[in-house]
Amino acid sequence: MRENEEHGQVHLKGSLRYYMQWPIILAILLIVANIVCFVLNQRVGLILAVFVVIYLIVAIVMYVYGRSRVMRDLIEFAAQYGVVQNTLLKELGIPYAILLPDGKAAWMNDQFRDLLGEYASKDAVISQYIPELNKNIFPRGENEVTHIDVYYEDKEYKAELKQVPASGFTQTENLVEMPAQQEYFVAVSLLDVTELNEEIKINEAQRLVAGLIYIDNYDEVMQSVEDVRQSLLMALVDRRINQYIAKVNGIVRRVDNDKYFIVIQKQHFKELEDDKFSLLTDVKSINIGNGIPATLSIGLGLSSDSYAQSYTYARSAIDLALARGGDQVVIKDCNGITYYGGKRERTAKNTQVKARVEAEALKEFITVKDKIFVMGHELTDVDSFGAAIGLYRAARALGKRIYIVINEASTSLRPLYDVFLHNDDYPDDLFLNSRQALDLADEDSMVIVVDTNRPQMTECPELLNTTRTIIVLDHHRQSSDNISNALLSYVESQASSACEMVSEILQYIVEDIELPSVEASALYAGIVIDTNNFTNRTGVRTFEAAAFLRENGADITEVRKMLRDDMDSYRAKAAIISNAEVYRERFALAEAKNLTVESPTIVGAQAANELLDIDSVKASFVFTEYNGRIYVSARSIDEINVQVIMEKLGGGGHMNAAGAQFNNTDMDGAVEEVKKVIDQMIEEGDI
């Protein structure tokens, strides 16, 4: 029904209008029927005509006198309906309010007024009571609806905000008086979800978490204790694990001599985190004459989809924990990966069985590929270059061509790089830049990544998307953003360098391989650089690899000459060391500003090594600006794990040598970030 303002008349519309016109339609049908009857039989037609006339008179009288009553009743019903509608909205069980665009309340129902309390004024600004409901989150369009969670007096509400045109409110509506110039208002409704969210939290807390516990060094520990005490040692380890998991109402099942499957509830995660997963320390403290302490790796997985997915996450987490050196906890869920522990470096195994197995697998891949690309990390250093040269020799021994991807040779790498660049024994296209490699590569190519396992840190990340066959050889601990689609991933975090790993592989990939002196020297140089002249991260296998290279003609004198600094680099390094500050009595921090050398990051890393020679310095951090980024080189001897510090800044590396990059800050900001992480880890007991 609508009101015609021009003529003051009320007209029906819609279905009601057609319903009121049915007597007219019936009268027309009767007249037509009467005409037909009159044609067929005049007498019958006259009789029917009498009845039609009587019907028309009655219908007209009823329509004329009844229509006014019907219209009056409809108007009364419409008025009562508006009052009832306003009353229902006012007494609605859900808090409902109408706001002006500036956030003031134009109207609110009883529930909303009771929610705000008796002191809520009529023109109150809602954001004064509920800060989340401010005009900044109001919907901007007529069809836009905004949903937001709000909190008020220990209650949680799901708010719905919708823009409603002011033209919809006519003068007959007495719900709210809108300003004449107002174009729209915002309708707000609040749904109390406190109990619902509480039930969701309870249900989420009771979800089961799958976990795997591995004894990292089971074989070594068993060999370090007498035979009669081996069963006692395992019984003590087994007891510590069972007691620790039972403390949080979990279930433990031993599935192998060195493997356990556990199930705990998610609500106990917090207890284990607050406890810093003391099980790692408890098991290491067991000593019944074993020369090597037992260490554990724990992988926990939590998925909101299914328990099967949680177990898959747990498998991925334990694999990552083992690849990072063990003695740590890795938690994988839908939000990412979290690490705990891993403060100590895992003891390297003296056996080369794994190197032989990986060499056989690598050999199979090389023999079936015609295009093979090798690349290291960006700003290629001596270690990644030497490893690439070693793989070049392996491919040549198997009758295959190989290309080394390198975009720029730094000052420290240039002497070694030039030896191969100007050597007629090597093809002119041995070294390619990223563009050349991408033009040459296809899906059937193979890419071998050395000295890094993070895709964004490689010389050419796009090359990883070109081919389906990817091999990773690295000695850095894996992080959550590693190359996940590698067909072969040989990550040996106990190795001193990538050159050490490649030197071992060369001994098994081809029997009695002939390694030219210049290539042996390149591999030897990589080991020298990464071990700081065999003083850092060296093990039995490091010296065995060095002995193999010496047997093949590695020239120590030439290596030393190639690795010498020029005078500008030496002075730059001295300047960095001279302005170093000691933070919290044991951390040396130095800034490398305005360096004129070609490779400031290399000089910064060398300066970080030099700072460790200062008494009382447990770890050093050197900050270098290069190509718009701030690079930090972190070094330590054995008391501080700089790798976990750098991981919190998005970097990584080893316990004794690590680094990170800052893209959106200046030198002072980077220094403050490192200091903040150091302070946090000291307060939490991680340092």
Side-chain angles (χ1 to χ4, degrees):
M1 185 176 65
R2 65 183 180 182
E3 183 177 358
N4 190 314
E5 296 179 356
E6 294 181 359
H7 302 89
Q9 297 177 351
V10 177
H11 297 278
L12 296 176
K13 65 179 181 178
S15 300
L16 186 60
R17 178 183 178 183
Y18 295 117
Y19 179 78
M20 294 296 293
Q21 291 177 349
W22 72 265
I24 300 175
I25 298 173
L26 183 58
I28 294 174
L29 293 175
L30 289 174
I31 292 172
V32 173
N34 185 233
I35 294 173
V36 173
C37 291
F38 190 83
V39 173
L40 296 176
N41 192 318
Q42 294 183 355
R43 185 175 181 181
V44 174
L46 291 173
I47 296 173
L48 184 58
V50 173
F51 285 100
V52 171
V53 171
I54 296 173
Y55 168 77
L56 291 175
I57 295 173
V58 174
I60 292 172
V61 172
M62 292 185 63
Y63 184 81
V64 172
Y65 289 97
R67 185 175 185 277
S68 59
R69 292 184 179 181
V70 171
M71 298 301 294
R72 184 174 65 250
D73 292 341
L74 287 175
I75 294 173
E76 291 179 359
F77 172 78
Q80 293 175 1
Y81 176 80
V83 174
V84 172
Q85 188 179 36
N86 294 342
T87 302
L88 290 175
L89 188 60
K90 192 171 185 298
E91 298 178 356
L92 185 66
I94 298 176
Y96 188 87
I98 297 174
L99 309 180
L100 299 177
D102 59 2
K104 290 184 179 180
W107 178 87
M108 63 182 70
N109 68 355
D110 295 340
Q111 285 285 342
F112 210 107
R113 192 174 298 278
D114 293 341
L115 174 68
L116 299 183
E118 57 182 332
Y119 300 106
S121 61
K122 179 180 178 181
D123 297 329
V125 178
I126 297 300
S127 59
Q128 294 179 352
Y129 303 89
I130 307 176
E132 294 88 350
L133 296 180
N134 56 76
K135 60 182 180 180
N136 295 326
I137 57 98
F138 284 179
R140 304 300 180 186
E142 184 175 344
N143 297 323
E144 182 181 350
V145 179
T146 301
H147 294 91
I148 184 175
D149 295 327
V150 301
Y151 302 88
Y152 186 73
E153 292 186 349
D154 301 328
K155 291 283 189 178
E156 300 178 36
Y157 299 91
K158 186 171 288 295
E160 180 181 286
L161 297 88
K162 185 175 182 180
Q163 188 182 114
V164 180
S167 58
F169 278 74
T170 65
Q171 296 178 356
T172 59
E173 300 279 1
N174 57 7
L175 177 65
V176 56
E177 295 181 1
M178 297 292 296
Q181 72 279 8
Q182 198 65 56
E183 298 181 356
Y184 68 92
F185 59 84
V186 178
V188 181
S189 61
L190 300 179
L191 178 63
D192 190 345
V193 293
T194 305
E195 294 184 4
L196 176 62
N197 288 346
E198 190 64 30
E199 293 298 327
I200 292 175
K201 291 178 182 178
I202 294 174
N203 180 66
E204 186 67 18
Q206 292 177 347
R207 290 189 63 84
L208 297 181
V209 179
L212 293 168
I213 300 178
Y214 285 6
I215 302 176
D216 300 323
N217 51 351
Y218 176 80
D219 294 332
E220 290 81 359
V221 172
M222 290 294 101
Q223 293 174 5
S224 69
V225 69
E226 299 175 2
D227 293 344
V228 294
R229 294 193 176 188
Q230 289 181 0
S231 58
L232 175 59
L233 176 62
M234 287 309 303
L236 291 174
V237 173
D238 192 80
R239 182 184 179 191
R240 294 285 177 89
I241 294 175
N242 278 275
Q243 287 180 340
Y244 186 80
I245 301 302
K247 186 172 62 176
V248 292
N249 297 321
I251 300 174
V252 182
R253 181 177 178 81
R254 187 173 178 178
V255 295
D256 205 344
N257 290 334
D258 59 344
K259 297 178 178 64
Y260 298 83
F261 174 71
I262 65 173
V263 176
I264 60 176
Q265 289 183 331
K266 184 181 178 182
Q267 60 185 332
H268 296 300
F269 255 155
K270 185 62 177 176
E271 298 178 35
L272 299 180
E273 290 176 345
D274 293 341
D275 187 46
K276 299 291 183 181
F277 292 93
S278 61
L279 178 62
L280 300 178
T281 306
D282 291 344
V283 171
K284 281 189 291 188
S285 65
I286 298 176
N287 189 347
I288 59 170
N290 47 301
I292 300 176
T295 61
L296 301 180
S297 287
I298 303 177
L300 300 172
L302 175 61
S303 171
S304 57
D305 296 333
S306 64
Y307 292 129
Q309 186 65 41
S310 295
Y311 179 70
T312 302
Y313 281 174
R315 290 294 302 269
S316 300
I318 195 67
D319 290 342
L320 185 55
L322 294 172
R324 287 166 52 85
D327 190 24
Q328 59 191 282
V329 179
V330 177
I331 301 173
K332 182 174 182 179
D333 55 23
C334 302
N335 298 320
I337 297 177
T338 308
Y339 305 99
Y340 292 91
K343 302 177 187 177
R344 296 178 58 185
E345 197 68 30
R346 181 176 168 185
T347 303
K349 295 183 179 181
N350 295 332
T351 176
Q352 295 187 12
V353 174
K354 186 175 182 180
R356 177 178 57 79
V357 173
E358 301 294 350
E360 291 291 338
L362 179 60
K363 179 179 179 180
E364 293 181 7
F365 282 111
I366 292 177
T367 53
V368 298
K369 296 295 181 180
D370 294 327
K371 293 180 182 178
I372 304 172
F373 300 87
V374 181
M375 64 177 175
H377 51 76
E378 59 180 349
L379 300 177
T380 303
D381 60 8
V382 176
D383 185 34
S384 60
F385 181 82
I389 292 295
L391 291 171
Y392 164 79
R393 177 50 51 191
R396 286 298 302 270
L398 295 172
K400 297 292 182 178
R401 281 292 310 272
I402 199 168
Y403 305 93
I404 299 176
V405 182
I406 177 170
N407 292 315
E408 180 183 358
S410 61
T411 303
S412 60
L413 180 62
R414 176 61 64 177
L416 183 60
Y417 176 75
D418 288 341
V419 170
F420 293 90
L421 186 64
H422 304 297
N423 194 324
D424 294 335
D425 294 334
Y426 298 93
D428 295 335
D429 58 351
L430 174 61
F431 302 108
L432 304 177
N433 57 35
S434 295
R435 182 184 57 80
Q436 294 170 331
L438 289 172
D439 291 340
L440 189 60
D442 54 37
E443 289 187 358
D444 294 328
S445 303
M446 182 171 74
V447 176
I448 305 177
V449 178
V450 295
D451 204 28
T452 183
N453 57 70
R454 305 176 70 176
Q456 72 274 15
M457 292 188 65
T458 59
E459 277 280 27
C460 182
E462 297 83 3
L463 193 59
L464 299 176
N465 300 322
T466 304
T467 179
R468 294 173 294 182
T469 307
I470 300 174
I471 309 296
V472 176
L473 302 176
D474 187 27
H475 66 116
H476 297 96
R477 298 214 296 185
Q478 282 191 358
S479 57
S480 57
D481 58 344
N482 59 341
I483 301 174
S484 58
N485 60 335
L487 297 183
L488 175 63
S489 183
Y490 181 24
V491 179
E492 190 71 34
S493 59
Q494 292 77 43
S496 67
S497 58
C499 285
E500 176 189 323
M501 297 174 62
V502 173
S503 298
E504 291 180 345
I505 288 176
L506 286 173
Q507 300 175 55
Y508 297 106
I509 201 166
V510 176
E511 187 175 354
D512 297 328
I513 188 171
E514 295 182 3
L515 190 63
S517 174
V518 63
E519 296 176 13
S521 297
L523 287 163
Y524 190 88
I527 297 177
V528 169
I529 287 294
D530 270 28
T531 60
N532 194 19
N533 289 308
F534 295 95
T535 61
N536 187 23
R537 294 181 50 78
T538 53
V540 174
R541 290 167 59 178
T542 307
F543 290 103
E544 289 177 350
F548 165 74
L549 298 174
R550 288 283 289 130
E551 290 175 358
N552 283 271
D555 192 331
I556 299 177
T557 303
E558 286 299 320
V559 169
R560 183 178 180 183
K561 288 181 179 179
M562 286 188 294
L563 299 181
R564 289 185 300 179
D565 295 327
D566 57 27
M567 183 58 70
D568 290 338
S569 297
Y570 197 86
R571 287 173 175 168
K573 183 167 57 177
I576 295 172
I577 297 173
S578 65
N579 67 26
E581 66 164 312
V582 179
Y583 182 66
R584 301 193 71 145
E585 300 180 352
R586 47 181 172 158
F587 301 99
L589 286 81
E591 301 177 13
K593 295 182 177 179
N594 303 321
L595 298 183
T596 58
V597 296
E598 184 178 350
S599 302
T601 56
I602 301 298
V603 175
Q606 294 173 347
N609 283 322
E610 295 284 345
L611 286 170
L612 293 179
D613 293 333
I614 301 175
D615 187 28
S616 77
V617 172
K618 308 299 182 185
S620 61
F621 304 87
V622 174
F623 302 83
T624 308
E625 185 176 1
Y626 183 65
N627 288 340
R629 295 180 181 176
I630 303 298
Y631 293 81
V632 53
S633 297
R635 299 292 186 269
S636 68
I637 297 179
D638 62 347
E639 298 174 84
I640 303 294
N641 187 342
V642 293
Q643 188 264 341
V644 295
I645 298 177
M646 292 296 99
E647 272 193 341
K648 292 183 178 295
L649 297 169
H654 291 293
M655 173 182 175
N656 308 119
Q661 301 176 12
F662 297 89
N663 296 323
N664 300 312
T665 186
D666 55 9
M667 186 74 73
D668 294 336
V671 173
E672 289 302 318
E673 284 292 324
V674 172
K675 288 182 178 180
K676 186 186 300 183
V677 171
I678 292 174
D679 293 338
Q680 177 185 350
M681 296 186 69
I682 290 177
E683 293 174 2
E684 295 177 354
D686 293 331
I687 296 181

